[in-house]
Amino acid sequence: MSVLLVILFLAVLSLAVVVYRQYKRLRSFGGEAAVKDEAAGHADSDGDPGGDVRVTVLPGDEDGRDDELHDRLLFERVHRLIVDGKLFLDPGFSRETYIKLSLVNKNKVGQLVQRYAGTNLNGYINDMRLEYAVGLLHEKPDMPIKALVVDSGFSSVRTFYRLFTAKYGVTPTQYRDNL
């Protein structure tokens, strides 16, 4: 009888550990709101279960060493949203925009971008804008530079010139002349 109780106790303990790890993953991936929505059964405003809330549990080790995998997958997911939606072209793209996309706090945003893009958030977004601008220069070599600046998501011609020259070693006009 005591062996049966020990086995039952270990089974309940194992289940509790699995539930705790799922809770921890939900918090790290989707923030506190995702955990509350998960606990509420995904009910939306009209009480319909399975509303607009989507919680994704990412694969990983069972010993807690999967935080880096979760962070990388989260960064890649948000990066894909930014690129596919061309959100970087919005001159108003900010840390708050990234927070809304990733559902993580402002400190975590900085850590994710630094770790996986190797720069801060402004540098990360501006790099995508510069790459887009170079693509436009190749596609539309006659496009005026001011139009290129606006279409690439920059709000300042001066900033665009400074960043472009720092990255490519020539001004946008010189770059276009060398095409």
Side-chain angles (χ1 to χ4, degrees):
M1 181 72 172
S2 64
V3 173
L4 188 58
L5 285 174
V6 169
I7 292 172
L8 182 62
F9 173 77
L10 290 175
V12 169
L13 183 63
S14 296
L15 180 62
V17 168
V18 169
V19 169
Y20 173 74
R21 287 189 176 145
Q22 292 289 72
Y23 172 80
K24 201 166 104 176
R25 282 189 189 137
L26 286 172
R27 283 198 63 186
S28 70
F29 184 72
E32 191 72 29
V35 174
K36 289 177 183 170
D37 288 335
E38 177 74 347
H42 299 290
D44 61 14
S45 60
D46 62 5
D48 181 31
D52 296 330
V53 177
R54 291 187 190 114
V55 176
T56 304
V57 177
L58 300 174
D61 299 335
E62 291 303 320
D63 61 2
R65 291 183 295 158
D66 55 357
D67 288 345
E68 189 169 333
L69 173 63
H70 288 281
D71 287 352
R72 184 177 54 79
L73 292 173
L74 174 60
F75 176 80
E76 289 173 2
R77 180 183 64 85
V78 174
H79 177 75
R80 187 64 25 226
L81 288 171
I82 292 169
V83 171
D84 291 350
K86 295 185 179 181
L87 302 178
F88 60 91
L89 297 178
D90 177 6
F93 192 96
S94 66
R95 180 177 293 225
E96 286 72 31
T97 307
Y98 197 98
I99 289 170
K100 288 177 185 173
L101 291 171
S102 64
L103 300 175
V104 297
N105 68 42
K106 66 179 182 172
N107 297 328
K108 187 72 169 182
V109 168
Q111 291 171 357
L112 287 173
V113 174
Q114 185 64 49
R115 182 182 300 151
Y116 299 107
T119 186
N120 62 26
L121 183 61
N122 285 338
Y124 167 67
I125 296 300
N126 285 334
D127 272 352
M128 286 189 277
R129 290 174 177 162
L130 290 170
E131 289 174 22
Y132 187 81
V134 166
L136 284 178
L137 281 171
H138 285 273
E139 290 174 20
K140 303 174 183 179
D142 296 330
M143 182 180 220
I145 296 297
K146 286 187 180 183
L148 180 73
V149 169
V150 171
D151 288 358
S152 300
F154 287 94
S155 56
S156 163
V157 174
R158 184 175 177 196
T159 299
F160 174 73
Y161 263 87
R162 181 177 49 81
L163 294 173
F164 193 99
T165 304
K167 182 169 182 165
Y168 298 106
V170 293
T171 68
T173 305
Q174 292 169 330
Y175 186 95
R176 179 172 47 202
D177 291 345
N178 292 327
L179 291 179

